[in-house]
Amino acid sequence: MKAILFEQVGGPEVMKLSDVPKPEVRPGWVLIKNHAIGINFADNFFRQGQYLIKPKLPDTPGLEAAGVVEAVGPGVDHVKPGMRVTAIGMKTYAEYCLASGNQVIPLPDFVNFAEGAAFPIQTLTAYHMMYTSHQLTPGQTVLVHSAAGGVGIVAVQIAKAAGARVIGTVSSDSKINLVKEYGADAVINYVTQDFAEETLKLTDGKGVDLILDAVGKPTLEKGLTCLAPFGHLVLYGRAGGVPDPVNLMSLFQKSLKVSGFVLYTVSAMPDKHREGIEKSFQLMGQGKLKMLVGKTFPLAEAAEAHRYMESRQSVGKLVLIP
Ligand SMILES: NC(=O)c1ccc[n+]([C@@H]2O[C@H](COP(=O)([O-])OP(=O)(O)OC[C@H]3O[C@@H](n4cnc5c(N)ncnc54)[C@H](OP(=O)(O)O)[C@@H]3O)[C@@H](O)[C@H]2O)c1
């Protein structure tokens, strides 16, 4: 089968379309014929050898894909060959991928393959930050950094559906209207404006109850200055660099909380994992949550897609079509 392979870590150019053996299903696993493959920012880190999971060279990137079940290993009961599914899998930049049975999600009829490929990682990350790490309630105010991005645009919608007031940040004015269309009450260009000052202005000096921050170094410390009393900052990425250590004493004055989030923690909790999937599909069915597929690329152009994501021009989810 065709797959993207890289033989050394490095920039997007190390990824090449290659021929590799089709994976074989094994107990507890599902083999999927991919129709659409989700690109995640983490794939950049994986390609560079800087992700939690290290590549075993030569390796294939990819954590997510939607398609049709080709084969099911013993011990997996909830899906059958021929079913439309999406999954958090491994080596998904390929024509076929393997996913552990508990990470395979049947797709409702109203979700197409590209939307399905955009669903699991970004939606469950956004959902669980707001409902598992934090307990979001109507009337709270949420600041979503890089709000036009994959996780960001989903977080804006889930927060809005919860009855929160939503403020987004973006790096260029061209993304502002889009984030408003997806429900944000206000959007700040955090390159040309001081986002903490603007946030305090927008909240009459009170600050926000929750900040979702995957930018890191340029935003974390400043974010603490625009949290409301008992406010909570969730750090879930480092697109802009690893943040400096937080001075815990700086949390005292307003009883603040800083926490980390990674989706793997929830993936290992079946009830929570199921809750996130059911609630998110419910929101999609009600028209309150839409997957924004910003751009699709042929599988062979994975390097081009990574360059586009790193350029900060992309909005929503980038998807590869095998
Ligand atoms: N912890 C978890 O379980 C988990 C799960 C999924 C994703 N994440 C993290 O969440 C973030 C979003 O992931 P995604 O896949 O949805 O990607 P994405 O948001 O579509 O793309 C990343 C965004 O980060 C912003 N950004 C800020 N500084 C940047 C920099 N120096 N270089 C490039 N981009 C920069 C850009 O938006 P602006 O230019 O508008 O700022 C860019 O669009 C990533 O940091 C990712 O690692 C974490």
Side-chain angles (χ1 to χ4, degrees):
M1 69 167 185
K2 295 284 180 208
I4 294 293
L5 209 62
F6 61 107
E7 296 189 344
Q8 60 188 76
V9 296
E13 70 285 351
V14 298
M15 296 190 296
K16 308 270 188 256
L17 191 69
S18 309
D19 287 301
V20 304
K22 184 174 157 186
E24 282 180 20
V25 76
R26 45 185 200 264
W29 290 73
V30 176
L31 179 66
I32 299 166
K33 182 171 179 7
N34 297 338
H35 285 239
I37 299 155
I39 296 182
N40 285 280
F41 200 79
D43 301 342
N44 294 324
F45 290 134
F46 182 70
R47 190 199 70 228
Q48 292 165 333
Q50 291 174 6
Y51 189 53
L52 292 172
I53 302 160
K54 303 291 173 210
K56 292 190 183 116
L57 300 171
D59 211 333
T60 294
L63 298 167
E64 210 173 27
V68 173
V69 174
E70 177 90 355
V72 175
V76 179
D77 302 321
H78 72 297
V79 290
K80 305 245 171 305
M83 276 176 75
R84 297 169 72 253
V85 295
T86 185
I88 299 175
M90 54 196 292
K91 304 180 193 294
T92 62
Y93 285 21
E95 290 178 308
Y96 293 84
C97 74
L98 282 176
S100 171
N102 55 13
Q103 299 301 323
V104 179
I105 305 166
L107 274 182
D109 291 342
F110 60 83
V111 182
N112 66 33
F113 285 125
E115 292 164 341
F119 176 82
I121 293 184
Q122 62 186 31
T123 307
L124 298 178
T125 298
Y127 177 89
H128 286 293
M129 286 193 292
M130 285 184 271
Y131 284 113
T132 306
S133 283
H134 188 79
Q135 277 70 50
L136 187 62
T137 52
Q140 289 191 350
T141 303
V142 183
L143 177 66
V144 180
H145 283 308
S146 43
V151 178
I153 203 81
V154 171
V156 165
Q157 298 173 77
I158 294 179
K160 201 63 204 165
R165 182 177 180 212
V166 184
I167 302 171
T169 66
V170 291
S171 66
S172 68
D173 288 350
S174 61
K175 298 179 182 176
I176 289 177
N177 279 343
L178 176 90
V179 178
K180 285 189 178 161
E181 276 165 30
Y182 277 75
D185 298 283
V187 183
I188 302 164
N189 180 332
Y190 60 175
V191 172
T192 57
Q193 289 177 289
D194 181 319
F195 77 82
E197 263 176 30
E198 293 302 315
T199 298
L200 286 168
K201 269 190 223 158
L202 286 164
T203 55
D204 297 325
K206 178 175 176 258
V208 297
D209 302 290
L210 176 65
I211 299 180
L212 302 180
D213 186 348
V215 181
K217 192 171 173 76
T219 46
L220 187 141
E221 204 174 321
K222 196 184 269 284
L224 298 179
T225 68
C226 64
L227 277 175
F230 289 100
H232 182 189
L233 184 151
V234 181
L235 178 72
Y236 69 105
R238 54 176 170 96
V242 177
D244 295 327
V246 175
N247 175 0
L248 295 180
M249 298 309 290
S250 70
L251 306 180
F252 268 53
Q253 209 178 351
K254 286 193 285 175
S255 306
L256 304 180
K257 184 159 84 171
V258 177
S259 67
F261 177 87
V262 69
L263 185 59
Y264 294 123
T265 323
V266 184
S267 308
M269 301 164 73
D271 291 348
K272 276 275 156 214
H273 187 57
R274 208 171 308 117
E275 171 198 307
I277 295 165
E278 285 171 7
K279 291 276 167 60
S280 302
F281 279 145
Q282 215 170 41
L283 288 176
M284 285 177 75
Q286 293 165 349
K288 293 177 180 168
L289 173 60
K290 294 190 184 95
M291 295 297 108
L292 169 60
V293 176
K295 201 165 171 163
T296 60
F297 294 82
L299 177 63
E301 291 176 20
E304 194 48 46
H306 275 210
R307 276 186 207 104
Y308 187 55
M309 175 169 265
E310 287 179 336
S311 75
R312 300 182 75 165
Q313 292 172 56
S314 68
V315 294
K317 187 75 166 181
L318 299 183
V319 169
L320 296 172
I321 306 295

